[in-house]
């Protein structure tokens, strides 16, 4: 039975699944963390004059980086070469310019989620600097281990992200015929075990948020950093989403901010309703609505403030009592305790997906009107303007 995108997504049992002719999807066993990789393999017989032919296995790359359509197209081209007696596997002579690891990372930038491009590049330079200028076909298992092992237990979250970025770049290299094996996939048993206790971002109790926001506004920090930190608290967005905001994403007349999918963790556009206080911050900065430059510029021309700048200011004010990301938890606790807003409205404010895949398919609304009421109430509370404790929402 031929494969389909839906069937591929649902396959979890390890093994080879044929798409017909010579193309197979290999489903690997689940790792101890529950992740599971899938990659394409083609088995062809190269015709030889006067002989029975020679069977070879060709790696076509990992799924979903290499789609079903792309795998079929490559497999078809390889079969034609094999029938002519040619070996479709790339050889050293055929690969005139093997890309470096840095070039492979750049080629897969659009497929990555989570941290901003600048933050991700900084982490790659810091922890994987030895790999950046090396051709991908010269990166072996030991190279990947030497990169990950020093931080695997001390900085497990960063190490997992780093491994994911390396895996994505090497999967691209496999798919384009530069290497045969993704070395980030064959090191599972060589990495030390890491405790699985979840560690959450420290969050300021929501009752203390008005005082913290006042301290931010009255601090001696730079105006750009103070404004960004206050804006992030009032909008309950992630640090990177606030820092990298640009003026052309803002519609002051509609009092809303559209964060493009490329900067969202879920890779979907997210519309943030802006409270009066949030609009006030932007109005005071007097930006050009047609400008694609950062709203909160840093020291380098054309670049936003750094993640560390916000964290350092907050730490100077409250120590280790909370993190910038933790204000999202503060908002969620406040909304759950002090309002009767629906859970779906609260989660949409945080750009979280709600429900399973079926529920998401049918519930496509953004609840913008309800979110606007809730975010205005949060801003009133955070700025000390709230007139009542419990925020009431109309049914329906």
């Amino acid at each position: 039975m031929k494969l389909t995108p839906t069937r591929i997504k649902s396959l979890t049992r390890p093994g080879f699944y044929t798409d017909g002719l010579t193309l197979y999807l290999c489903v690997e066993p689940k790792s101890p963390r529950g992740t599971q990789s899938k990659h394409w393999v083609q088995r062809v017989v190269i015709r030889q004059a006067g002989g029975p032919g020679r069977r070879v296995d060709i790696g076509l790359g990992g799924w979903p980086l290499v789609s079903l359509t792309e795998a079929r197209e490559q497999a078809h081209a390889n079969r034609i070469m094999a029938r002519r007696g040619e070996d479709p596997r790339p050889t050293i002579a055929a690969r005139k310019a093997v890309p470096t690891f840095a070039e492979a990372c750049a080629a897969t930038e659009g497929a990555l989620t989570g941290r901003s491009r600048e933050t991700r590049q900084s982490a790659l330079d810091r922890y994987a600097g030895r790999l950046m200028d090396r051709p991908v076909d010269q990166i072996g298992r030991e190279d990947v281990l030497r990169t990950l092992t020093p931080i695997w237990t001390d900085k497990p979250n960063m190490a997992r992200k780093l491994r994911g970025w390396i895996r994505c770049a090497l999967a691209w290299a496999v798919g384009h015929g530069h290497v045969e094996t993704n070395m980030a996939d064959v090191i599972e048993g060589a990495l030390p075990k890491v405790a699985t206790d979840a560690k959450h971002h420290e969050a300021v109790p929501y009752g203390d948020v008005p005082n913290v926001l006042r301290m931010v506004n009255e601090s001696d920090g730079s105006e750009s950093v103070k404004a960004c930190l206050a804006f992030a608290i009032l909008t309950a967005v992630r640090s990177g989403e606030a820092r990298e905001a640009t003026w052309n994403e803002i519609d002051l007349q509609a009092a809303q901010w559209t964060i493009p999918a490329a900067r969202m963790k879920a890779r979907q556009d997210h519309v943030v309703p802006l409270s009066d206080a949030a609009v006030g911050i932007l109005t005071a900065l007097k930006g050009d609505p047609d400008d694609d430059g950062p709203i909160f510029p840093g020291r380098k021309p054309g670049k936003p403030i750094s993640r560390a700048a916000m964290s350092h200011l907050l730490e100077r004010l409250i120590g280790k009592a909370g993190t910038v990301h933790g204000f999202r938890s503060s908002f969620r606790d406040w909304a759950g305790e002090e309002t009767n807003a629906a859970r779906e409205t609260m989660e949409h404010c945080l750009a979280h997906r709600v429900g399973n895949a079926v529920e998401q398919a049918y519930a496509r609304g953004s609840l913008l009107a309800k979110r606007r009421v809730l975010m205005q109430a949060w801003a009133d509370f955070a700025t000390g303007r709230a007139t009542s404790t419990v925020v009431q929402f109309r049914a329906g």
Side-chain angles (χ1 to χ4, degrees), residues 14-37:
F16 284 82
Y17 295 85
T18 181
D19 186 53
L21 297 176
T22 60
L23 182 61
Y24 297 84
L25 179 74
C26 177
V27 179
E28 299 287 354
K30 286 187 177 181
S31 71
R33 296 197 314 275
T35 59
Q36 190 170 36
S37 63

Side-chain angles (χ1 to χ4, degrees), residues 140-330:
R141 175 179 171 278
E142 292 301 322
D143 297 310
V144 178
L145 282 174
R146 276 195 294 268
T147 300
L148 296 175
T149 301
I151 62 171
W152 192 255
T153 54
D154 294 340
K155 299 179 179 180
N157 290 334
M158 171 53 69
R160 283 194 292 270
K161 288 184 175 71
L162 183 60
R163 184 185 182 186
W165 300 335
I166 294 173
R167 176 186 281 123
C168 190
L170 294 183
W172 175 87
V174 171
H176 286 77
H178 299 299
V179 297
E180 290 291 326
T181 303
N182 189 328
M183 291 302 172
D185 284 334
V186 297
I187 59 173
E188 194 70 47
L191 292 167
K193 291 185 177 180
V194 180
T196 57
D197 293 340
K199 185 177 181 181
H200 300 286
H201 294 274
E202 292 292 338
V204 172
Y206 70 81
D208 294 337
V209 169
N211 187 45
V212 172
L213 189 56
R214 177 186 58 78
M215 293 169 64
V216 170
N217 292 329
E218 295 176 357
S219 73
D220 60 356
S222 77
E223 292 303 317
S224 189
V225 175
K226 289 163 55 177
C228 187
L229 182 51
F231 188 72
I233 293 172
L234 294 172
T235 54
V237 297
R238 299 175 179 89
S239 169
E241 294 160 5
R243 289 186 296 103
E244 296 178 10
T246 58
W247 284 110
N248 58 5
E249 296 172 359
I250 303 293
D251 185 340
L252 286 177
Q253 186 172 3
Q256 65 187 41
W257 165 32
T258 302
I259 309 175
R263 293 202 295 106
M264 291 300 300
K265 187 174 183 179
R267 281 298 189 255
Q268 293 180 345
D269 288 353
H270 179 56
V271 178
V272 180
L274 298 175
S275 62
D276 295 342
V279 169
I281 290 174
L282 298 176
T283 302
L285 295 175
K286 300 178 182 178
D288 181 352
D290 296 322
D291 187 6
D292 62 357
I295 295 175
F296 309 105
R299 294 179 179 178
K300 295 181 180 179
K303 298 292 185 180
I305 63 172
S306 68
R307 182 183 184 187
M310 292 176 67
S311 300
H312 289 165
L313 175 59
L314 187 62
E315 186 172 339
R316 280 202 297 117
L317 297 176
I318 63 173
K320 301 289 187 179
T323 63
V324 178
H325 191 92
F327 285 106
R328 288 165 56 81
S329 295
S330 305

